[in-house]
Amino acid sequence: MKKWYSLFIIGLFLFVTVGYAQDNCLRCHPQIKQRLKTGSVHAVLKKKNCTVCHSTHTSDQPHLLKKSVKQTCLSCHKEKHNHYAHFPVSEGECDKCHDPHASPYKALLKRPSQKLCFECHKKENILAGKHFHKPVAQNCLVCHKAHGSNYKGLLVEDKKILCFKCHIKKNILASHHTEDMNGQMCFSCHNVHASQKAHLLRKFSHNPYGEKKCNICHEMKGDEVGKVKINDRSLCLSCHSQVAKADRTIYSHLQLGLNPNVCLDCHSPHTADLKPMLKEQPANLCFNCHQEIKKQLLSSSYKYKYKHPEVKDKNCLACHQTHNSNNLLFLKKGNIDTCLACHGKHIKFSHPMGKQTLDPRNKQPVNCVTCHNPMGTQNKFNTIFDYNKELCVQCHRIET
């Protein structure tokens, strides 16, 4: 009996003190109390249960959160595992889009979804034209998922069938003089958001396509366009013989890709908005394969606080070659010389580098990336360790 009585007293004490603490929260945070009157209120806030997420006294997290933002959200909202995740979701930055307390918009969004998307995805890049795809004016979520998807670009469906959700396939086949096609082909000629040209056609044309010489690449049945003659890179290299030289260097981008024809990973065979027939901005093409680099470049984590200026601008081609190189990492001039192309004055006062100076840890010549990581670090000057002491003692051990 005493045991149950004790538990009852403890429970009553917690009920009273927790309720009192929550009332105290709203007494000092009247702006939160005011939000209880808005359209959409977070379930825990409806119950005035602030201590589910916040500590009442101290915390290592901002806003006295008990855990990180990601862990706090996922403690109730279980993570769905998709092949592709929206970057803020993978970084645990739920509060970039959602208000944790209340909002006049559905799903606790900070702003209407269309405006919210354009805060990160530049509107002038997406709506670059006078002709617009109808769903763009309605809502990005007609075609894209907000958190994650099993399809690239966070699409709601595979490209092969997405377009035919709205466009009648038999009409498309008739107008394009072909027996069969899938929605993925639509992206090859049409900009899915906006264009200066009618029918959302892209700006530049591949010469055979522009000259209506489909037979150069495709098998033809009268006026009908059939499948491609060759399904690998040799189809492209039969005309672009200068690119084939990439195979004669140490490193070649022609050796491995996402498609059987590796050229089509980056280039469109029909039309494009960027020369030379690039499917996307160069950095986005790089990110398709280099996912870890993408995470570093786009992350707002303190671990990658300091980034090289070219990295911040996502200008991969300032330092790297596209098709081939005899230098590691496809660098234009080799490790040291690539850096010296901009940082020429540093050679006068830098740490000794080159074959005459070996790193005692791996016996390799010291170069710029021995100490610096241009992709992002938590230290000034992009040093891998704190440059005041920690960096130096990696090689120069101090005997005490």
Side-chain angles (χ1 to χ4, degrees):
M1 185 69 180
K2 281 185 177 181
K3 179 181 177 182
W4 289 109
Y5 180 75
S6 300
L7 289 173
F8 173 76
I9 295 298
I10 292 170
L12 181 62
F13 172 78
L14 290 173
F15 176 80
V16 172
T17 53
V18 169
Y20 178 73
Q22 287 155 0
D23 284 339
N24 266 350
C25 296
L26 297 177
R27 190 174 297 129
C28 291
H29 300 280
Q31 75 279 16
I32 302 298
K33 187 174 183 178
Q34 187 63 29
R35 290 191 190 182
L36 290 170
K37 301 174 184 177
T38 61
S40 182
V41 180
H42 201 182
V44 291
L45 186 57
K46 277 184 180 178
K47 300 174 183 177
K48 302 180 183 177
N49 200 357
C50 309
T51 54
V52 169
C53 301
H54 300 277
S55 171
T56 53
H57 296 111
T58 61
S59 172
D60 292 328
Q61 302 293 332
H63 311 296
L64 292 179
L65 286 172
K66 289 181 175 179
K67 305 173 185 175
S68 68
V69 172
K70 183 176 185 178
Q71 290 174 323
T72 299
C73 297
L74 291 181
S75 61
C76 294
H77 305 280
K78 299 304 178 186
E79 187 175 18
K80 290 183 179 179
H81 296 284
N82 295 293
H83 192 68
Y84 298 98
H86 197 190
F87 193 75
V89 174
S90 62
E91 288 291 286
E93 297 174 337
C94 308
D95 54 343
K96 266 197 170 180
C97 299
H98 301 277
D99 191 299
H101 298 114
S103 166
Y105 308 110
K106 188 179 178 181
L108 294 175
L109 290 177
K110 288 184 172 181
R111 278 162 287 285
S113 59
Q114 202 77 333
K115 290 184 178 180
L116 201 58
C117 297
F118 290 139
E119 288 187 3
C120 294
H121 305 279
K122 291 183 179 179
K123 189 173 183 178
E124 59 268 26
N125 291 343
I126 293 173
L127 302 182
K130 59 183 179 182
H131 301 282
F132 302 103
H133 195 195
K134 189 176 178 181
V136 175
Q138 294 173 342
N139 193 328
C140 303
L141 300 182
V142 172
C143 297
H144 301 277
K145 288 191 174 182
H147 293 126
S149 170
N150 288 320
Y151 308 109
K152 189 183 171 186
L154 302 182
L155 293 175
V156 297
E157 290 279 4
D158 192 318
K159 283 182 180 180
K160 293 179 180 179
I161 61 175
L162 179 61
C163 298
F164 299 129
K165 290 284 185 179
C166 297
H167 302 278
I168 300 171
K169 188 171 183 177
K170 66 178 183 179
N171 294 345
I172 301 297
L173 294 177
S175 63
H176 286 73
H177 306 288
T178 184
E179 291 181 339
D180 192 25
M181 67 187 300
N182 62 57
Q184 186 166 341
M185 297 176 185
C186 305
F187 290 69
S188 181
C189 296
H190 302 276
N191 187 309
V192 293
H193 296 122
S195 173
Q196 292 289 356
K197 292 185 175 183
H199 310 298
L200 298 177
L201 288 172
R202 296 184 184 273
K203 189 175 181 180
F204 304 107
S205 295
H206 189 203
N207 285 345
Y209 174 83
E211 295 168 5
K212 298 184 179 180
K213 295 178 180 178
C214 306
N215 61 299
I216 291 179
C217 300
H218 293 269
E219 294 177 356
M220 302 295 292
K221 297 179 181 179
D223 290 335
E224 286 191 348
V225 181
K227 64 181 182 179
V228 292
K229 292 178 178 178
I230 307 171
N231 203 34
D232 59 38
R233 64 178 187 161
S234 62
L235 178 68
C236 298
L237 298 182
S238 62
C239 291
H240 301 279
S241 56
Q242 76 280 10
V243 180
K245 296 177 182 177
D247 282 340
R248 297 199 284 274
T249 57
I250 298 174
Y251 304 101
S252 170
H253 258 140
L254 301 186
Q255 298 299 328
L256 183 65
L258 303 173
N259 289 295
N261 183 347
V262 66
C263 305
L264 300 184
D265 288 343
C266 300
H267 302 277
S268 170
H270 298 122
T271 67
D273 291 319
L274 298 168
K275 288 185 175 181
M277 302 302 297
L278 294 178
K279 289 182 174 181
E280 301 178 74
Q281 293 290 340
N284 291 335
L285 292 172
C286 299
F287 291 159
N288 287 337
C289 295
H290 302 283
Q291 291 291 318
E292 280 304 308
I293 299 299
K294 176 183 179 179
K295 183 176 180 180
Q296 286 180 252
L297 264 60
L298 301 184
S299 175
S300 56
S301 168
Y302 77 95
K303 293 189 296 184
Y304 311 119
K305 180 179 179 180
Y306 296 97
K307 299 180 178 74
H308 191 277
E310 298 290 359
V311 169
K312 279 186 179 179
D313 292 337
K314 296 192 286 189
N315 187 8
C316 309
L317 303 186
C319 301
H320 302 278
Q321 297 275 45
T322 51
H323 290 121
N324 61 297
S325 175
N326 281 318
N327 302 308
L328 190 65
L329 304 176
F330 285 81
L331 289 171
K332 287 185 173 180
K333 299 181 180 180
N335 190 301
I336 297 174
D337 288 338
T338 297
C339 297
L340 291 181
C342 295
H343 303 280
K345 64 180 182 180
H346 287 72
I347 196 65
K348 298 177 182 178
F349 57 82
S350 73
H351 187 285
M353 293 187 294
K355 294 180 180 179
Q356 72 280 8
T357 308
L358 300 182
D359 186 329
R361 297 167 296 178
N362 57 20
K363 308 305 179 186
Q364 295 299 311
V366 169
N367 56 46
C368 305
V369 296
T370 302
C371 300
H372 303 273
N373 183 349
M375 299 302 173
T377 73
Q378 64 190 40
N379 305 298
K380 287 182 71 174
F381 311 116
N382 291 107
T383 55
I384 298 170
F385 298 96
D386 178 16
Y387 63 90
N388 287 307
K389 177 181 176 182
E390 189 182 7
L391 180 67
C392 302
V393 299
Q394 301 304 313
C395 297
H396 304 280
R397 297 294 179 185
I398 300 174
E399 302 295 336
T400 58

